[in-house]
Amino acid sequence: MNLDFTEEQDMLRTAAKDFLTTECDKTMVRQLEEDEKGYSPELWKKMADLGWMGLIFPEKYGGTEMDFMSLIILCEEMGRNILPGPFFSTVVLCGNAILDSGTDVQKDEYLTKIASGDIIMSWVQTEPTNTWGAGGIEVKAVADKDDFVINGTKLFVADAHVADWMIVVTRTKGGAKPEDGVTLFLVDAKSPGITAIPQPTVGMDKLCEVNFKDVKVPKGNIIGKLDKGWEVVEKTLLKASTCKCIESVGAMQATVDMTNAYIKDRVQYGRPLAAFQVLQFDMANALIKTTTLRELTYRAAWEAGEGLPEAATDVAMAKSWMNDTFYWVVERGVQLHGAIGTTRDHDMGLYYRRSKCAECQFGDSDFLKEKIAKDIGL
Amino acid sequence: MNLDFTEEQDMLRTAAKDFLTTECDKTMVRQLEEDEKGYSPELWKKMADLGWMGLIFPEKYGGTEMDFMSLIILCEEMGRNILPGPFFSTVVLCGNAILDSGTDVQKDEYLTKIASGDIIMSWVQTEPTNTWGAGGIEVKAVADKDDFVINGTKLFVADAHVADWMIVVTRTKGGAKPEDGVTLFLVDAKSPGITAIPQPTVGMDKLCEVNFKDVKVPKGNIIGKLDKGWEVVEKTLLKASTCKCIESVGAMQATVDMTNAYIKDRVQYGRPLAAFQVLQFDMANALIKTTTLRELTYRAAWEAGEGLPEAATDVAMAKSWMNDTFYWVVERGVQLHGAIGTTRDHDMGLYYRRSKCAECQFGDSDFLKEKIAKDIGL
Amino acid sequence: MDFKWTPEQEAMKKDFDDFFEEAMKGKPAAWVGGLEDMFSEEGFPFTKMVCSKLADKGWLVGHYPKEYGGSGWSILEQLIRAEAAGYHHAPTGDIFGIGMCGPTLIVVGTEEQKKEHLPPICRGERYWCQGWSEPNAGSDLAALTTRAVRDGDDYIINGQKTWNSGAHIADWAFMLARTDPETKRSRGISYFLVDMKSPGITVVPLISMDGSHLYNETYYDDVRVPARNMVGEENQGWAVTRMTMNFERSGVGGFAGNMADIKELVQFCKETKWNGKTLAENPLIRSRLAQLAIETEAGRALAYRIAWLQETGGMEAIATTAWMASSGKVYGSELSQRVAAIAEQIFGLYGQLIKGSKWAPFSGKYIAAHQMSMGGNIAAGTSEIQRNMIAWTGLGLPRTI
Amino acid sequence: MDFKWTPEQEAMKKDFDDFFEEAMKGKPAAWVGGLEDMFSEEGFPFTKMVCSKLADKGWLVGHYPKEYGGSGWSILEQLIRAEAAGYHHAPTGDIFGIGMCGPTLIVVGTEEQKKEHLPPICRGERYWCQGWSEPNAGSDLAALTTRAVRDGDDYIINGQKTWNSGAHIADWAFMLARTDPETKRSRGISYFLVDMKSPGITVVPLISMDGSHLYNETYYDDVRVPARNMVGEENQGWAVTRMTMNFERSGVGGFAGNMADIKELVQFCKETKWNGKTLAENPLIRSRLAQLAIETEAGRALAYRIAWLQETGGMEAIATTAWMASSGKVYGSELSQRVAAIAEQIFGLYGQLIKGSKWAPFSGKYIAAHQMSMGGNIAAGTSEIQRNMIAWTGLGLPRTI
């Protein structure tokens, strides 16, 4: 057992923290909320230059071959600074899916371009059916000679409006088990018949309605196997969930730090707010929640990275605990800031609003707890 | 609208408070926990002399004809002092059932004896089936000439071991709806074939396992109508639930008062515990919960007393809110007392343990909330 | 004890209900019914229109004395109106003028002040805002530093106020300024009525987390206020302030609003099918909505008690029930927050969509309400301040501030 | 980062697991596994038996240096043992001797004290109790008034201690007495080792809410204690006390115990059918048990971090991780309370039955555990004290006491 990060990883963390603090301040976060694209191409380029896009890819694809826990570190720091943009879609979701389940040709084609920052990708899974489960996949892909033809509507799809390529989760076969008959396609976002319309969300995080009308995709663009794509989804979402959890930990710690500093500074009734025991208890509880989530997430992430069977349950646990704790911590943070914390101009709100977005990713607590209940034998 | 009690009712409250404080101190409560009978015959006699047993019965049966809200007042004060014994079983459950649904002959026979303090009664409903719903009634009563013959096991039955008479809820007919085919019998507790064994409970409140082996009951002893007894049960439990709620309010207020006094008195770190803001917040929350429950219960009780249709939902709401709040308030009370509050000799524990007993009476929150969900249209 | 309304009150209830049912048909999209909506660009004309109709019927400010334009209602009739309005999330004018400034004037205002201000309030013609908090005087209001200096028949006011709800639409403000800078804290403060059109007043919007505009900063730069606009004695404004804070806090409208929300959500759950089952079949959702209904009724029962005690106890009761009013406030605002949070949760992925997305349930009303609810736990005395007050005045525990 | 155990550690884990599995077959009915059981009339012989077997294998106090009877384990091996024991709710001797007094002696004891006391602790032959709290010195320990007066080579101790867990079975006590009554509070206190058989000691039981006997009052009436039994310098006992409080607080055993409870409850829910359905089919129960499992794993992950930091950081880490240990304590004890409460709730009407009723699920174990859990939120630093400590040392907030 070794619960320390390596020196190289510690350096990565410091570098990421410094870089993001400088390059992604809250003014930029606010601008990008209103920005049509939702990301900064300059920043994107710089991140690629730092090697972040290819962090966990093999060197032959332009990556730096660090392990999954290094990506976790990066995500923690991104969460602390609320980095907007398609890093999560491109690298965490699509990058991991191709890395774990793509063919050599696909890896060569896409990982290399991701690593260089040349393409943005979008993970196109959820639908109006309102679930991250396999049962929600209804958008059909039907074989037609050497192609498949995709028709239907996807919803809540991050960054589809700026994506060059998409990984689209489709239904290719009906059947008793919804997990069967799911197939994933690499789809050129410029294909005729695709429209992507960003929806206003509480986090302004560019979730799109994506419509597919007779969109043709070559058979060769399947990731994983025909009808067996759900395995790829599961594997990808395990990793992505831990990245979302640790991103949230970063955000939570940021709000704890920010609130702690504020109450030490803000004087009412002749003493700092920090001197009020009730506020101290709120802070103590916030710290407990943040810390337990961090530790649980590290373990779950390590298991997911190692491909261990226990990852499935532990990741669901971490994500569910995140849903409970992120909201709690930012809610208290706003409350302790008082009225100023409820304004659009204050940073607390940026975090507060993102807690809802994070909750919606990869399963809410009811969904996850039902999974956990099964896993613990119920 | 008039949310005040009458002067007569205010006097009743004062008299009850004074009487119980003197006659039912915590030493007696403790003794009766260990006592085989679980009540004091002398105290029982005195209560009868005060007219408490017949408080809401017509004068012709030896009662004083006060309204149901007067019984509520009495129960609130009993809860404050944790009066042990079969008042609830005899008067609140059986008394109300006979008053509301008995024949004139039955009223004359039983209400008179209840009012005079001559008989103790037990409400025999629940079974190992573990529910207050009609579906749980499996003990059968089978017609045999002019009698019915009862067989089976009842469980969690208060005061059966000291009862002279019982009201036994039986199944006389199977069918699609569990509410159909339930019949209530007035049963002489000395009938051959009845055994009642008190079970140790957290509140030492003499809940018995009651076995019926070929117990004969005359047909004339049916309360309400054959197979239609569930209506009687529902009506009775509505009133009994509000009495249990207000009993709990009395207990909660007692623990709030006791804890409030303790923290004002107990000095640590050179100041009374009461000066610590966190403890003040616990107390404020306890007061909010106690007060909201009291007001909700008064309304629900008034509705139940008036026989209004909205009583069904509001009583379930009050009882569910009681389940949540009673435990919360006494748990905080123990915590604020510190170690001394966890001892057998301290009064806090008496209340704490009763919160569990109260929760178990007439439906836990899941049971009640499912009912409420139906009532609000789900 | 008797919870029945009289036949007259029942009839009144129905009249109110019919009125609001009809009036609210024209409400703007995603209307939550908070002050944010009432004072928004889109909402304020609607608010004025509804309030004007209410005023025509004598229902806007029914509980003021008839001589000043009220209808002489008892607190119970006021309660019935508040409950009906709350249930329909209807605008009922500004809580500041109607609920705080007006009642204060009735008790301690001069006859001239009453005659000048109460009738336009009752007619729904004059909107008020509160000018109390300052950047360094929030919960600790007595730390305020805005100055008022006597100059002939006027006072000249200088300073900055903040969190002024509706200052951008208000005609008048009731505000606090320090008239004696030598004495400390709560002494030396006076209470003024200020025409918002006075030269020297600048209102700067403070936009809320969800993008709505309720709060403002108000800058006073040599604002001249006639001395007759002082309420109460010079330097005695703190006592007036305490009184203002305690009026009309049964909170029944909020609980009625929750009832309507729960009803709406129940209907949604019955009609909405995801993954092959209606939401209404989900036991977790059933349990949560039932719990909200329980907590709403428990709060409502408390609100009735507060109203009853104020009805029967008069002005004195306002002080003795202050801890109950604080209880109702903190309980109610935290409950409203849970209602919105649970609605969002029920919507699943749709819960994150806001106004402007065609996919947003109820046009994003609940997620907006959720964000606004944060302010509900802070405005008009934070939940912490309320719990302090309950501990001190309801339980006799020592003051920690 | 790597969460794998080495093959040796995996083997150790299995050995422990097998041992406890076997040893716990003989446990008394309704065994919860808290100190209440370990030190009860029925439980203490069982405790001694299990501990003696553990000691034979060198597993009772593995982490002490070999020269004093330990096995020289690292904190990680200790963690593995604690987790296995916790999972089986096994007795592992007194936490006072093994976990508090012993480690203190290792750091600041004299060689003579180490030689005298550590080996019998490691052999499971000597049980300890703590003599700290007094009726007027609970959370505010420094307010203690028990006196120790030097008399030749001895000290003579007079006073009253309370909440002495296991004093009725203990052989020795480590206790605090005031040696300099002139100086105030934490100064002037000394730390003594006292043979409980010393003349003048009287132990009076304090029976807990559920009827169990864990706590005692201890009266010291002219108790003579040799000066060599003082730990640390005279009047410097407070520093020793602080050290004692911080040892071994990863809390992993408690989380492992929760895991076992959850597993037991899952099994119960699968096997138990009321109203025609198994409990396992009830979505509300599924959700609650899943939530407990989540919270248990979150706490366990924290416990691992604490152990790891102590492993790699040594004595210094004990201070820097104190806020984490406080977090683990308060989080763990409150979680244990919820586990018991939810078990009771699952049992429905059966939840109120206690030991002695043939109908009581698990012989009333969970309702007993629930009552004991109240003590868990108070003993060894109340939840309030823990949160204070987290705020002060983990967040740098100003001390409020």
Side-chain angles (χ1 to χ4, degrees), chain A residues 154-220:
Chain A
K154 294 280 183 180
L155 199 57
F156 315 112
V157 179
D159 309 311
H161 66 308
V162 290
D164 302 295
W165 285 86
M166 299 171 166
I167 294 180
V168 185
V169 183
T170 67
R171 169 112 3 239
T172 38
K173 204 177 73 181
K177 285 185 64 186
E179 291 80 5
D180 290 340
V182 168
T183 306
L184 275 59
F185 292 94
L186 276 157
V187 178
D188 185 338
K190 290 176 295 298
S191 308
I194 300 180
T195 52
I197 312 152
Q199 302 295 308
T201 70
V202 63
M204 299 303 278
D205 54 351
K206 315 300 172 200
L207 302 190
C208 300
E209 172 188 338
V210 187
N211 289 295
F212 291 85
K213 191 162 164 43
D214 298 330
V215 177
K216 285 199 177 188
V217 195
K219 277 185 184 166

Side-chain angles (χ1 to χ4, degrees), chain C residues 83-396:
Chain C
E83 192 156 23
Y87 187 82
H88 292 277
H89 295 297
T92 51
D94 68 298
I95 58 167
F96 305 104
I98 296 172
M100 299 176 79
C101 185
T104 304
L105 292 183
I106 290 171
V107 180
V108 295
T110 62
E111 195 53 36
E112 187 191 356
Q113 288 169 342
K114 293 181 196 177
K115 290 227 172 89
E116 178 178 356
H117 294 294
L118 298 179
I121 288 177
C122 292
R123 287 194 304 270
E125 291 168 2
R126 188 169 294 176
Y127 282 74
W128 289 77
C129 67
Q130 191 183 17
W132 289 11
S133 295
E134 297 180 6
N136 289 310
S139 289
D140 184 11
L141 185 58
L144 64 87
T145 58
T146 293
R147 280 283 277 127
V149 178
R150 183 82 186 216
D151 180 47
D153 286 343
D154 297 334
Y155 284 85
I156 297 174
I157 300 180
N158 277 289
Q160 183 194 347
K161 294 291 174 180
T162 190
W163 312 118
N164 310 118
S165 306
H168 56 300
I169 57 91
D171 305 298
W172 280 75
F174 54 100
M175 58 86 70
L176 302 175
R178 198 166 285 286
T179 35
D180 180 357
E182 300 305 314
T183 59
K184 281 192 183 159
R185 301 201 44 88
S186 60
R187 284 164 296 169
I189 291 172
S190 299
Y191 192 113
F192 294 96
L193 309 178
V194 179
D195 187 333
M196 288 293 283
K197 290 181 297 294
S198 308
I201 291 184
T202 315
V203 174
V204 179
L206 283 166
I207 303 303
S208 297
M209 199 190 286
D210 65 310
S212 62
H213 176 198
L214 168 61
Y215 301 111
N216 302 276
E217 294 177 307
T218 311
Y219 294 86
Y220 287 76
D221 186 13
D222 285 337
V223 177
R224 204 163 264 279
V225 179
R228 65 183 160 80
N229 282 6
M230 180 184 286
V231 182
E233 303 285 304
E234 192 182 62
N235 296 334
Q236 303 301 316
W238 192 250
V240 183
T241 307
R242 307 286 301 204
M243 182 185 300
T244 300
M245 285 196 283
N246 276 328
F247 284 111
E248 194 172 74
R249 293 204 292 159
S250 84
V252 75
F255 296 111
N258 294 343
M259 289 169 72
D261 289 343
I262 293 166
K263 190 176 166 192
E264 182 171 78
L265 292 169
V266 163
Q267 196 54 33
F268 180 84
C269 289
K270 287 164 79 169
E271 289 165 358
T272 307
K273 195 180 267 196
W274 282 315
N275 297 311
K277 279 187 178 176
T278 64
L279 294 173
E281 291 171 83
N282 181 335
L284 294 162
I285 290 177
R286 296 175 73 80
S287 179
R288 283 178 198 134
L289 287 176
Q291 183 68 30
L292 290 180
I294 293 166
E295 293 180 16
T296 296
E297 288 300 330
R300 196 170 146 246
L302 173 65
Y304 268 62
R305 171 64 61 187
I306 296 168
W308 175 254
L309 290 173
Q310 296 197 348
E311 167 74 18
T312 55
M315 276 305 293
E316 204 175 308
I318 288 175
T320 55
T321 60
W323 72 266
M324 278 199 190
S326 286
S327 300
K329 199 271 184 182
V330 65
Y331 181 98
S333 71
E334 291 179 355
L335 174 56
S336 294
Q337 190 178 17
R338 282 197 294 284
V339 171
I342 285 175
E344 268 177 39
Q345 203 176 26
I346 287 173
F347 302 152
L349 287 161
Y350 290 92
Q352 62 194 321
L353 300 175
I354 62 173
K355 193 171 161 181
S357 168
K358 69 170 185 182
W359 297 92
F362 303 104
S363 308
K365 178 174 89 167
Y366 285 97
I367 193 151
H370 194 184
Q371 290 171 78
M372 292 171 190
S373 73
M374 292 299 307
N377 293 337
I378 293 166
T382 66
S383 297
E384 287 76 14
I385 291 291
Q386 304 297 345
R387 288 196 171 87
N388 282 340
M389 294 304 299
I390 297 164
W392 303 338
T393 65
L395 290 156

Side-chain angles (χ1 to χ4, degrees), chain B residues 39-55 57 61-63 86-87 90-91 109-121 162 164:
Chain B
Y39 78 104
S40 151
E42 298 76 42
L43 183 56
W44 187 258
K45 179 78 176 57
K46 285 183 190 169
M47 284 161 53
D49 291 347
L50 285 171
W52 288 7
M53 311 302 188
L55 192 76
F57 300 162
Y61 306 127
F87 181 89
T90 306
V91 175
E109 174 72 16
Y110 298 98
L111 295 187
T112 310
K113 285 185 184 159
I114 291 174
S116 61
D118 288 337
I119 58 168
I120 286 170
M121 294 191 72
V162 292
D164 302 295

Side-chain angles (χ1 to χ4, degrees), chain B residues 128 130 156 199-202 209 266 268-269 271 327 331 334-335 339-340 342-344 352 356 360 366, chain D residues 135 138-140 163 207 209 274 288 337 344 347 349-350 352 354 357-359 370 377 384 400-401:
Chain B
N130 198 12
F156 315 110
Q199 303 295 308
T201 71
V202 63
E209 173 189 337
R266 169 83 174 167
Q268 291 278 280
Y269 305 101
R271 66 183 114 146
Y327 173 72
E331 195 274 344
V334 172
Q335 181 71 19
I340 192 77
T342 68
T343 58
R344 193 78 178 176
Y352 179 84
K356 183 66 196 175
C360 289
D366 284 350
Chain D
S139 289
D140 183 12
W163 312 118
I207 303 303
M209 200 190 285
W274 282 314
R288 285 180 197 131
Q337 189 178 16
E344 268 176 39
F347 301 154
L349 289 160
Y350 290 92
Q352 62 194 321
I354 61 173
S357 169
K358 69 170 185 183
W359 297 92
H370 194 185
N377 292 338
E384 286 77 13
T400 49
I401 300 174

Side-chain angles (χ1 to χ4, degrees), chain A residues 208-264:
Chain A
C208 300
E209 172 188 338
V210 187
N211 289 295
F212 291 85
K213 191 162 164 43
D214 298 330
V215 177
K216 285 199 177 188
V217 195
K219 277 185 184 166
N221 282 18
I222 291 175
I223 299 187
K225 297 201 181 100
L226 179 69
D227 294 335
K228 300 289 174 204
W230 192 251
E231 290 165 26
V232 181
V233 173
E234 280 194 325
K235 204 166 180 181
T236 305
L237 293 197
L238 269 192
K239 289 189 178 173
S241 295
T242 63
C243 289
K244 187 52 71 179
C245 287
I246 207 69
E247 207 185 85
S248 303
V249 167
M252 287 158 74
Q253 188 67 53
T255 66
V256 167
D257 294 345
M258 198 189 303
T259 309
N260 211 37
Y262 178 78
I263 65 170
K264 284 177 182 172

